[in-house]
Amino acid sequence: MTIYRFKHLQEVSGSMLKNYKFGNGLVWLLIIFVLPLPLLQATYYELPALYHDTLMPIQFGTLAYIWMLAAIYLATRPRWLDRLIGLPSMYLVHGIISILAIGLAFVHKLLLPSSGWIKWTGDWGLYLFIAVGVYSLIFLAGWLTNRVPVLNHLKHWLETLFQHEISVWLHRLNLVATALVIIHVILIPYILAMHNYMMLFGAYTGIVALSYLVSVYRVHFQQPTGELIELDQLADNVVQLSVKMPRLRRQFQTGDFVFIAFPNLPGMKEPHPFSLANNPLADGQLELIVREDGDFTKSLASVPIGTPVKILGGYGRFQNFIDEHPGTQLVMISGGIGVVPLLSLINHNLEKPIHIFYSVQKQTDFLHLDQFDYWNTTPNFSSQLQVGRFKDAQLENYLATIDVNHTIFLVSGPAALGQHWQRFLKKHGIRGWQIYYEEFGW
């Protein structure tokens, strides 16, 4: 009986960990409470009595530092965490935890004045964090700009002055700010004398530094380099790239996106994320469909055939989400270029009942209509394609015809579309765990 209960507990725990909402909550719990706790305890027990009135501002500074280390680790895009909660959720945590860290660091500065090199290193570390944070909120925080129209307009206007590659390098000034904070801490004699605290401080810093260096090494020396073998213009501002890889490891799933870079082309050396339109393991190559919006994407049409392409990934949770809910019907809602990851998902899951709502702004924006013609001849697939957004009543009518308790919903497209249909589905009794939206904006 005990063995049975233990096995049952393992199964329940495993299914909970597969749930990305549970995983998301677990990540927040670890970063906010669990990781800082050992250092906070060390501060409480080791801080000399003479400085006990400074305990709270020191702990604020400690929290800020640990949260910023967590943000730096998340910026390395650990793939194990992506498969658990998804990269968009990871970036959201990264952004919010960075803002909280800067806020606490500012409170720490106000409550605990210093002088000399201690003040200089602390102040300049904080000023750098604030400057990079403000810049990043405009250029690298799609989770925010997609929800604040004023910031979104400002971002598009400033993109004519600051290319993405510049933004990435400016974001790395966070590492300089972190180095200044480390020096700031080491310069404080009574903190340096707290041996357990400094041991933990060094361990946390060393682990994150090692993780960052490993990620840099993998990007530059371990990630496979493919070759651009085909470039097609699918629509007015949409291109499809085909990339041949020397070898394909089992790192890709249908519905994934990858980061690509062209290491030999100026202005295109920093990785950019794009969705896979196929299953690379089945086709032997990667097919990416890209809308020409920014400086990087607008340059794609002029990339010569045969150019080396650096590939990072895959990332994404669409297929994981489907696998976590066996025996369910799939309903997909997409708009515009958001259909791209769904193309490979449909091909890979045709044994399941699938219905897709796919809308575009104009007729020429539809992608791969020939595939939809074929899928519509298969027994488990059905589709509704239209020019112009779907009305709520259209989905209400469809929901009335299916068993919503045995259905999962995959939403893919612009932020406004994703937010609207998530609200709509929840309003009509669909539970949060039945919906997955992978926001694609950063």
Side-chain angles (χ1 to χ4, degrees):
M1 181 66 72
T2 302
I3 294 174
Y4 169 77
R5 286 177 178 171
F6 178 71
K7 287 183 176 179
H8 178 68
L9 181 62
Q10 281 184 315
E11 291 172 0
V12 171
S13 300
S15 63
M16 288 178 71
L17 283 172
K18 287 180 180 179
N19 186 302
Y20 81 100
K21 289 188 179 294
F22 175 80
N24 228 333
L26 187 60
V27 169
W28 277 108
L29 178 67
L30 285 170
I31 293 174
I32 296 290
F33 297 110
V34 178
L35 289 177
L37 188 59
L39 273 163
L40 296 179
Q41 284 185 313
T43 309
Y44 181 81
Y45 287 112
E46 288 193 301
L47 188 66
L50 180 64
Y51 302 100
H52 208 267
D53 59 338
T54 65
L55 175 63
M56 183 175 291
I58 289 174
Q59 290 191 329
F60 283 163
T62 299
L63 271 174
Y65 182 72
I66 296 303
W67 288 351
M68 192 55 73
L69 285 183
I72 292 172
Y73 175 73
L74 293 176
T76 65
R77 299 190 289 261
R79 290 188 64 240
W80 69 270
L81 194 52
D82 163 68
R83 295 305 191 192
L84 179 65
I85 67 172
L87 202 56
S89 294
M90 206 189 309
Y91 279 175
L92 176 63
V93 176
H94 165 86
I96 293 176
I97 211 71
S98 298
I99 294 170
L100 293 176
I102 291 171
L104 269 185
F106 188 74
V107 174
H108 165 80
K109 168 182 163 56
L110 292 179
L111 297 180
L112 194 60
S114 56
S115 61
W117 280 97
I118 296 174
K119 174 179 173 59
W120 188 89
T121 52
D123 285 356
W124 278 101
L126 176 59
Y127 297 153
L128 261 181
F129 277 132
I130 292 173
V132 175
V134 171
Y135 185 89
S136 299
L137 284 177
I138 298 173
F139 286 96
L140 299 174
W143 56 271
L144 179 64
T145 52
N146 287 337
R147 291 166 172 80
V148 182
V150 173
L151 283 180
N152 202 21
H153 291 310
L154 180 61
K155 173 186 175 182
H156 287 303
W157 180 71
L158 290 175
E159 277 178 340
T160 59
L161 303 174
F162 299 97
Q163 293 187 341
H164 180 79
E165 197 158 309
I166 296 174
S167 298
V168 172
W169 275 102
L170 287 175
H171 194 253
R172 289 173 181 150
L173 287 174
N174 280 323
L175 300 176
V176 178
T178 303
L180 287 171
V181 172
I182 293 170
I183 297 170
H184 167 78
V185 171
I186 293 173
L187 288 174
I188 305 173
Y190 64 88
I191 296 293
L192 196 60
M194 296 162 52
H195 299 300
N196 290 330
Y197 179 90
M198 290 307 299
M199 182 179 66
L200 289 168
F201 182 90
Y204 279 50
T205 304
I207 290 170
V208 172
L210 181 62
S211 299
Y212 183 83
L213 291 173
V214 168
S215 73
V216 171
Y217 175 80
R218 285 177 175 170
V219 167
H220 292 285
F221 300 105
Q222 282 193 332
Q223 294 297 332
T225 299
E227 179 186 347
L228 182 66
I229 60 172
E230 194 172 347
L231 187 64
D232 297 317
Q233 194 81 35
L234 297 185
D236 291 341
N237 64 337
V238 178
V239 294
Q240 177 168 312
L241 295 80
S242 298
V243 178
K244 186 70 176 176
M245 303 296 294
R247 65 187 187 282
L248 282 171
R249 297 173 291 183
R250 301 191 63 82
Q251 67 204 65
F252 302 106
Q253 297 182 152
T254 52
D256 272 2
F257 60 94
V258 296
F259 287 79
I260 71 168
F262 298 90
N264 298 337
L265 298 182
M268 305 186 76
K269 297 179 181 181
E270 290 296 333
H272 283 59
F274 302 112
S275 292
L276 292 173
N278 72 324
N279 180 357
L281 297 178
D283 299 341
Q285 64 187 40
L286 280 68
E287 294 178 3
L288 309 165
I289 298 180
V290 180
R291 187 174 60 198
E292 300 169 302
D293 279 339
D295 53 281
F296 185 95
T297 54
K298 288 178 180 177
S299 302
L300 287 174
S302 60
V303 175
I305 300 299
T307 300
V309 186
K310 183 77 75 174
I311 302 291
L312 287 73
Y315 296 94
R317 290 206 78 257
F318 273 128
Q319 187 59 52
N320 287 48
F321 186 72
I322 294 172
D323 294 340
E324 289 162 11
H325 301 88
T328 55
Q329 176 180 346
L330 309 183
V331 174
M332 302 176 175
I333 306 172
S334 72
I337 200 73
V339 77
V340 173
L342 305 184
L343 298 176
S344 61
L345 286 170
I346 294 170
N347 248 341
H348 187 70
N349 295 280
L350 279 174
E351 77 284 357
K352 300 176 179 289
I354 300 175
H355 186 84
I356 183 171
F357 294 88
Y358 173 26
S359 63
V360 294
Q361 291 184 351
K362 56 183 186 295
Q363 183 68 31
T364 54
D365 290 338
F366 281 117
L367 301 175
H368 289 298
L369 287 176
D370 54 332
Q371 290 193 38
F372 283 93
D373 290 338
Y374 165 71
W375 291 330
N376 281 320
T377 65
T378 62
N380 294 325
F381 182 82
S382 57
S383 64
Q384 289 178 242
L385 279 61
Q386 75 174 38
V387 176
R389 58 158 290 182
F390 286 97
K391 305 296 184 185
D392 290 0
Q394 292 176 274
L395 267 79
E396 286 172 350
N397 293 336
Y398 178 76
L399 292 178
T401 67
I402 63 172
D403 180 3
V404 294
N405 293 320
H406 293 89
T407 303
I408 57 173
F409 298 81
L410 281 67
V411 185
S412 181
L417 176 144
Q419 293 161 22
H420 172 80
W421 291 119
Q422 286 182 95
R423 287 194 300 267
F424 169 87
L425 292 170
K426 290 175 181 177
K427 180 181 175 182
H428 287 77
I430 309 302
R431 290 159 289 185
W433 61 264
Q434 293 177 263
I435 308 167
Y436 186 68
Y437 171 55
E438 198 160 74
E439 187 167 343
F440 203 63
W442 48 75

